Amino acid sequence: MITKPKGTVDIMGDDSLLWEYVNNVVNTMMKYYNYEYIRTPIFESSELFHRTVGESSDIVRKETYDFKDKGDRDITLRPEGTAGVVRSYIENKLYAEPDIKKYYYNGTMYRYERPQTGRLREFTQFGVEVLGSNDPLIDAEVISLQYNILSALNIENLQVSINSLGDAESRNSYRDALVKYFTPHIDELCEDCKERLKTNPLRILDCKVDKDSEILKNAPKTIDYLNKESKDRFDKVLKYLDILEVDYEVDPSIVRGLDYYDHTVFEIYTLDNNDGSQSALGAGGRYNKLIKELDGPDSYGIGFACGMDRIINELKKMDLYKDIKKEIEVYVMYVSEEEKLHAIDIVQSLRLNGVVCETNTLEKGLKGQFKEADRLNTKLLVILNDEDLKKGLVNVKDNATKEETKVDISEVVDYIIGNL
Ligand code: AMP
């Protein structure tokens, strides 16, 4: 038997109903906020991720799926969504259009991680990228959109942690402060962090190994190194978030290790009521330098990404979603071949009139068809028999009240639509 690759999932049955439900909520909220759907390739040239996510990041160093295609090109399966969207923005010269670009995506990402709960090698993220505006209101909008999607899904105990890395000047002075602080402690850091001290000291603060050490806890805080302009900007973001009623806390330890972030960075968690553990559902930040680094003009960008698989796992823990069931509006039942011909016609008319409809395709007898209709939580049954058909009639039965009505076959679609 061939099995699926490690760290991947098959989504089906009740899970797929939840996926559909979440997708609908996401799509609806994106529309309310006026975000446009964008789809970029699942694979891109490797250089794109090396230049954006950064050579020294864990994602690029250890976790990308890289391969050569048959034309000997270096290809990478996308590990995240931002790089592709920004590449597309530049390649299609969208920056030349006068309006702000607000995009959302929803698709699979690939990271060669050690599979464990909440950590897959193929996973799905939905997210947004807003290009062309540096208004702090956009930072607040993006955060509130992420927050409100998760709230609309009834996820409780949401916690937004937010921080600012400031502009290039602030970030550089912070970087210098970190090097000065960590250098005397270098022997106490993990092997990766020793390397990070040389390549990108901000990443030390993201370290999963050293995260609880006193050295990390007492490290300098970004907030103390923001220049006035960056501090004022951050204060505005927080003020707007207050008006938008987003529950947030400023957490100076959030630095988001990727090379491309500046100014606002944020993460969103839910806290488990039982054991108090945190589950990261999404994260994001502003990346004003990135567009220029990818050979575009000076412009502005900010985005977030949320992990669908983790969100679904959260919903599965909630009673509210235990009852999501497959529902069929109408099941059309028949026995003889003559009845079947009418069934085919009725099913087709109902479907084309927007009624969710099913019929017997497993050669079941009537008893089996009743059972199947119950299993599908069917509301109305259309029961065909030769005798009634000869008089141009069909039986429509309410599956809850068991009430049965004879209806003229030419009016059955209207009758059903009126009774659903
Ligand atoms: P990141 O792109 O690493 O900032 O991740 C954003 C969100 O994507 C996280 O908060 C998770 O919900 C989700 N995510 C990231 N990596 C994985 C993974 N390997 N498996 C499942 N979900 C992931």
Side-chain angles (χ1 to χ4, degrees):
M1 187 182 56
I2 299 169
T3 55
K4 61 183 167 355
K6 233 177 153 180
T8 64
V9 284
D10 295 317
I11 295 154
M12 56 200 170
D14 291 349
D15 280 3
S16 76
L17 295 177
L18 266 182
W19 276 79
E20 272 184 326
Y21 174 76
V22 177
N23 278 329
N24 283 340
V25 171
V26 170
N27 293 344
T28 307
M29 287 300 253
M30 294 296 182
K31 291 276 171 285
Y32 291 163
Y33 279 75
N34 190 30
Y35 283 63
E36 184 183 312
Y37 178 65
I38 189 168
R39 205 186 115 142
T40 60
I42 286 177
F43 63 86
E44 298 265 5
S45 70
S46 301
E47 192 195 351
L48 177 67
F49 301 110
H50 289 244
R51 275 173 66 186
T52 56
V53 180
E55 297 283 358
S56 62
S57 69
D58 276 1
I59 294 183
V60 165
R61 272 180 53 222
K62 304 182 199 156
E63 296 169 2
T64 46
Y65 276 87
D66 301 308
F67 59 95
K68 287 230 185 250
D69 71 4
K70 292 195 170 107
D72 207 31
R73 299 173 194 90
D74 288 308
I75 299 290
T76 296
L77 298 186
R78 63 181 180 198
E80 52 95 52
T82 305
V85 174
V86 173
R87 193 248 334 114
S88 170
Y89 178 72
I90 298 166
E91 190 174 340
N92 295 298
K93 297 195 173 50
L94 298 170
Y95 50 79
E97 295 174 14
D99 51 334
I100 177 174
K101 297 291 173 196
K102 306 208 295 184
Y103 293 116
Y104 80 96
Y105 60 84
N106 188 342
T108 46
M109 307 293 159
Y110 299 84
R111 295 185 197 169
Y112 194 80
E113 300 201 71
R114 202 161 59 80
Q116 50 188 291
T117 316
R119 212 159 269 286
L120 295 161
R121 289 183 175 170
E122 181 188 66
F123 57 99
T124 301
Q125 284 184 338
F126 68 83
V128 305
E129 310 296 343
V130 181
L131 296 149
S133 169
N134 197 33
D135 189 332
L137 174 57
I138 286 295
D139 302 39
E141 177 180 293
V142 162
I143 294 169
S144 93
L145 171 54
Q146 183 181 38
Y147 182 82
N148 286 333
I149 288 174
L150 299 177
S151 302
L153 291 167
N154 299 296
I155 297 179
E156 287 174 348
N157 305 320
L158 286 176
Q159 190 182 311
V160 177
S161 299
I162 181 170
N163 191 21
S164 174
L165 304 172
D167 58 9
E169 183 189 72
S170 311
R171 206 178 142 137
N172 285 343
S173 54
Y174 180 59
R175 188 192 150 102
D176 293 346
L178 283 183
V179 172
K180 209 163 147 196
Y181 172 80
F182 281 121
T183 303
H185 297 291
I186 190 158
D187 292 336
E188 296 152 71
L189 299 174
C190 77
E191 286 311 306
D192 278 347
C193 282
K194 287 185 179 128
E195 190 57 34
R196 287 176 184 132
L197 188 54
K198 287 183 230 148
T199 53
N200 186 345
L202 257 73
R203 287 222 174 91
I204 298 176
L205 303 172
D206 274 345
C207 178
K208 289 164 198 146
V209 180
D210 286 337
K211 73 175 189 316
D212 295 324
S213 77
E214 284 302 309
I215 306 163
L216 251 70
K217 282 185 190 151
N218 297 325
K221 310 266 180 266
T222 50
I223 297 277
D224 300 327
Y225 294 83
L226 296 183
N227 57 20
K228 180 162 183 330
E229 225 181 319
S230 301
K231 173 86 176 57
D232 288 350
R233 189 179 189 289
F234 189 44
D235 286 342
K236 280 192 179 157
V237 174
L238 300 183
K239 192 158 91 189
Y240 299 154
L241 283 176
D242 287 334
I243 298 174
L244 293 167
E245 296 186 355
V246 172
D247 208 355
Y248 66 85
E249 61 165 25
V250 176
D251 179 349
S253 73
I254 292 194
V255 291
R256 310 282 309 141
L258 304 189
D259 279 348
Y260 55 56
Y261 286 119
D262 50 17
H263 290 292
T264 313
V265 283
F266 53 93
E267 295 181 353
I268 187 158
Y269 301 92
T270 170
L271 298 177
D272 193 302
N273 273 336
N274 297 321
D275 59 9
S277 65
Q278 282 188 341
S279 173
L281 300 180
R286 183 163 274 286
Y287 48 81
N288 286 346
K289 290 184 309 234
L290 181 62
I291 300 149
K292 189 141 198 203
E293 271 167 28
L294 282 177
D295 309 323
D298 257 328
S299 188
Y300 308 104
I302 183 168
F304 75 69
C306 271
M308 277 286 270
D309 307 80
R310 296 219 188 138
I311 290 171
I312 301 284
N313 280 345
E314 283 309 311
L315 301 193
K316 280 163 79 174
K317 291 187 209 159
M318 295 162 64
D319 287 342
L320 187 64
Y321 295 99
K322 296 230 157 67
D323 288 335
I324 290 202
K325 284 197 203 103
K326 200 172 197 166
E327 274 178 16
I328 294 285
E329 290 176 303
V330 178
Y331 192 94
V332 181
M333 300 165 63
Y334 66 88
V335 181
S336 74
E337 184 63 21
E338 183 59 30
E339 291 160 11
K340 183 173 183 176
L341 300 182
H342 287 282
I344 295 170
D345 193 29
I346 294 172
V347 167
Q348 177 78 338
S349 303
L350 286 170
R351 285 177 176 164
L352 296 183
N353 280 285
V355 177
V356 186
C357 182
E358 194 47 277
T359 188
N360 169 33
T361 47
L362 285 174
E363 299 184 350
K364 286 183 199 254
L366 268 190
K367 202 167 154 202
Q369 293 181 52
F370 275 115
K371 264 199 190 151
E372 180 67 0
D374 284 344
R375 197 184 64 79
L376 295 170
N377 302 300
T378 312
K379 290 194 194 105
L380 295 178
L381 311 175
V382 175
I383 308 163
L384 303 180
N385 67 64
D386 287 326
E387 237 168 78
D388 284 334
L389 282 172
K390 273 185 204 135
K391 293 182 221 149
L393 297 173
V394 298
N395 296 293
V396 181
K397 183 170 177 179
D398 185 311
N399 205 21
T401 62
K402 306 295 176 203
E403 210 174 293
E404 233 179 288
T405 317
K406 285 204 197 302
V407 181
D408 195 288
I409 194 161
S410 62
E411 285 161 15
V412 68
V413 173
D414 286 342
Y415 178 84
I416 284 174
I417 290 173
N419 281 275
L420 277 173

